[in-house]
Amino acid sequence: TQLLKQSPQFLSIQEGENLTVYCNSSSVFSSLQWYRQEPGEGPVLLVTVVTGGEVKKLKRLTFQFGDARKDSSLHITAAQPGDTGLYLCAGGYGANNLFFGTGTRLTVIP
Amino acid sequence: SAVISQKPSRDICQRGTSLTIQCQVDSQVTMMFWYRQQPGQSLTLIATANQGSEATYESGFVIDKFPISRPNLTFSTLTVSNMSPEDSSIYLCSVGTGGNYGYTFGSGTRLTVV
């Protein structure tokens, strides 16, 4: 059974601080995706990483896929209140399968 | 990417009744997925719906409780049958073109069973 554990589960920081969210598994995934979900909405895709060791940057967000394709991290620089939300990693396996992580709820305080 | 219209956005239902959730996609898609998200939790896949065939259910979910229809390539429904308070959750539909390319989600249906 695939299990994607995210840490921390909850994170509350001041505006301008940096943070890192981790997504770990004992399973190998063909891809790793990160989503952000705001209240009353469905998750929205932020990024997909597919190659072990891959690093992608999206403005203030930096995503890394572990060399063994079992883990990933999301780093946010100079967090803003608009970054508040539920962050979900999701591992892809097979042709159309996606397994979601346990989630990290981020609150950025102005 | 596809745009999904999901309704109702929320409902409060009496135990023992059923609710049908609809998802309309603005383009033809082969596979549609139905997820459940319990309060404060992550997403759990209920079933995968292909047009023209029976839906494939994940462990812990059965067709009698969550019947799914997929009459064409742009539409699907999920029914939550004989509801109990434990069924109170957010239900989400999604579409995707493969595990490597990400999925698009509807805005969800927040169901409360009283």
Side-chain angles (χ1 to χ4, degrees), chain B residues 13-19 65 80-84 87 113:
Chain B
C13 300
Q14 296 289 325
R15 68 175 67 202
T17 63
S18 298
L19 175 72
K65 176 67 175 177
V80 186
S81 303
N82 188 25
M83 289 183 286
S84 66
D87 295 320
V113 184

Side-chain angles (χ1 to χ4, degrees), chain B residues 61-87:
Chain B
F61 298 97
V62 295
I63 188 171
D64 289 346
K65 176 67 175 177
F66 297 101
I68 288 172
S69 78
R70 185 80 204 276
N72 57 53
L73 290 172
T74 63
F75 187 78
S76 180
T77 67
L78 169 76
T79 299
V80 186
S81 303
N82 188 25
M83 289 183 286
S84 66
E86 292 71 33
D87 295 320

Side-chain angles (χ1 to χ4, degrees), chain A residues 21 32-36 45-49 51 53-66 71-76 87-89:
Chain A
V21 177
L32 202 296
Q33 300 165 14
W34 284 92
Y35 293 80
R36 182 172 67 213
L45 179 69
L46 296 174
V47 76
T48 301
V49 285
T51 305
E54 182 176 3
V55 176
K56 279 191 175 179
K57 291 191 175 184
L58 184 66
K59 295 184 180 178
R60 293 177 294 100
L61 279 59
T62 302
F63 305 86
Q64 184 164 10
F65 200 10
D71 54 80
S72 181
S73 64
L74 158 61
H75 182 79
I76 300 179
Y87 287 81
L88 296 159
C89 65

Side-chain angles (χ1 to χ4, degrees), chain B residues 3-4 6 11-12 14-15 35-36 42-43 45 47-49 58 65 68 70 77 89-90 100 102 106-108 110 112:
Chain B
V3 176
I4 302 175
Q6 182 174 344
D11 207 341
I12 301 173
Q14 296 289 325
R15 68 175 67 202
Y35 287 86
R36 182 174 71 184
S42 185
L43 278 67
L45 182 64
T48 302
E58 298 298 307
K65 176 67 175 177
I68 288 172
R70 185 80 204 276
T77 67
S89 277
I90 298 171
N100 288 352
S107 54
R110 182 179 293 273
T112 303

